[in-house]
Amino acid sequence: MHHTLITLISLAAALLAGTAAAGPRDDLLAGYAAAARTASPAFAGFSAARGKDLHTRAFAAGKADTPACTSCHGQDPRGPGRTLTGKSIEAMALSVTPARYGDPAKVEKWFKRNCNEVLGRACSAQEKGDWLTYMAGQ
Amino acid sequence: MNIPYRPIALACIALLFSGLVLNRAQAGGGHYYAPVADPMVKEECGSCHLAFAPAMLPASSWRRMMADLGNHFGDDASVDADTAARITRYLVDNAADTGGQRFNDKLMRGVAMNNAPLRITELPRWQREHREVPDWEWRHKEVRSKANCVACHAGAERGYYDD
């Protein structure tokens, strides 16, 4: 059940990325998958459902102002977000902002900043892959 | 008597020039600060908040800020060394006491240029301009931070602060 879902999502993501030649997004996900497998041999693929949970859950170990990813990115992944200093952020859903996640250095830079901000620690490769899989399917 | 034509002519030209520049600045209501034009600076310094105009702080401030981006008002704004060097150069070249001098208006009044203040919102002149803004307005959910210039100055992205 889960596997078909993941296959479908990866397929959709691949189709969306289609024209973008080698697809830096796929490479990024493949890199996270390899790292997740190294970290845990039981790793069985990314899950959009876990990604959604990461995106919406309120954590206690980060900054009080920003308990969740949604604190800045908004409740609806297809809608815009806003930083605490009032800057609007384009939607994170790939279907709405197709230019997203095409620059691995940018993705890594923001995972580093934002995971620290929200969870008070770095995100694992599995968490990053789950989250990206969720956004790619939105 | 020997009249020094050359220095006089030069002085006239200088006067004319400063007049022109002043006029241009005043056309925007007298409160125009050239917005960031460099795409890299806009990207790296304009994603969490408005990319603040370099002419709003002296060069010493930008150098000090850029030297500690990992601890940027409680946020991690760090970038790689090459990017940091390029951003620093742009900000320093267009600062209130360098290339951006003609925009800095009165904002630098009472500021020691080598004192490196880190906040525009703590400059004495900025505080004076905003002392009549009521407390509830700062706390309004559409404002939340003094650094959210755009909430009140609709033209801030384009450099205008006259409304």
Side-chain angles (χ1 to χ4, degrees):
Chain A
M1 223 302 265
H2 247 81
H3 279 287
T4 24
L5 195 70
I6 290 160
T7 319
L8 273 175
I9 287 166
S10 337
L11 227 121
L15 279 175
L16 274 168
T19 41
R25 244 171 256 128
D26 298 336
D27 294 351
L28 194 64
L29 267 181
Y32 289 144
R37 213 168 292 121
T38 312
S40 157
F43 172 73
F46 294 127
S47 139
R50 277 197 310 259
K52 180 177 183 177
D53 178 61
L54 174 65
H55 189 64
T56 51
R57 186 145 42 113
F59 293 85
K63 284 195 199 157
D65 288 0
T66 51
C69 305
T70 50
S71 309
C72 293
H73 291 298
Q75 287 298 330
D76 177 8
R78 294 196 190 87
R82 215 175 83 126
T83 66
L84 300 189
T85 13
K87 185 84 192 182
S88 83
I89 307 175
E90 282 187 281
M92 297 316 269
L94 192 57
S95 64
V96 180
T97 318
R100 284 228 177 271
Y101 319 120
D103 173 357
K106 179 177 172 181
V107 175
E108 271 294 295
K109 179 177 74 188
W110 286 103
F111 268 136
K112 176 167 165 255
R113 284 177 184 165
N114 294 341
C115 289
N116 229 351
E117 186 104 4
V118 172
L119 296 92
R121 59 164 174 86
C123 286
S124 68
Q126 157 127 33
E127 285 169 325
K128 293 176 190 174
D130 287 342
W131 190 90
L132 277 179
T133 303
Y134 170 57
M135 287 305 170
Q138 282 299 300
Chain B
M1 202 179 108
N2 208 340
I3 300 168
Y5 287 109
R6 232 172 87 91
I8 289 175
L10 278 177
C12 284
I13 289 169
L15 235 121
L16 197 76
F17 185 67
S18 64
L20 279 175
V21 169
L22 274 172
N23 265 330
R24 214 174 37 194
Q26 266 154 12
H31 295 283
Y32 175 72
Y33 297 83
V36 167
D38 184 303
M40 181 190 267
V41 181
K42 233 191 223 161
E43 161 90 18
E44 298 295 346
C45 305
S47 40
C48 295
H49 46 62
L50 167 78
F52 299 112
M56 287 192 167
L57 287 174
S60 62
S61 300
W62 295 123
R63 279 201 199 89
R64 183 176 159 209
M65 188 178 296
M66 291 303 296
D68 192 13
L69 282 185
N71 184 15
H72 179 77
F73 304 94
D75 269 26
D76 173 12
S78 55
V79 292
D80 65 71
D82 282 350
T83 308
R86 197 170 132 190
I87 295 172
T88 308
R89 198 174 327 124
Y90 179 84
L91 295 172
V92 164
D93 285 353
N94 295 284
D97 50 344
T98 57
Q101 209 153 18
R102 68 206 146 114
F103 301 120
N104 86 29
D105 197 43
K106 293 169 257 161
L107 215 44
M108 286 305 116
R109 204 169 281 172
V111 176
M113 292 296 179
N114 53 4
N115 209 15
L118 289 181
R119 280 192 185 269
I120 298 159
T121 54
E122 280 172 8
L123 301 176
R125 189 72 203 188
W126 190 96
Q127 297 198 322
R128 265 195 59 189
E129 296 277 10
H130 293 86
R131 78 190 146 186
E132 276 164 28
V133 177
D135 224 35
W136 63 263
E137 206 165 311
W138 293 123
R139 281 198 304 261
H140 192 278
K141 71 175 179 19
E142 292 300 323
V143 179
R144 293 195 286 197
S145 159
K146 288 185 179 173
N148 185 3
C149 320
V150 189
C152 306
H153 300 286
E157 298 268 8
R158 284 173 290 115
Y160 296 105
Y161 293 86
D162 47 356
D163 49 9

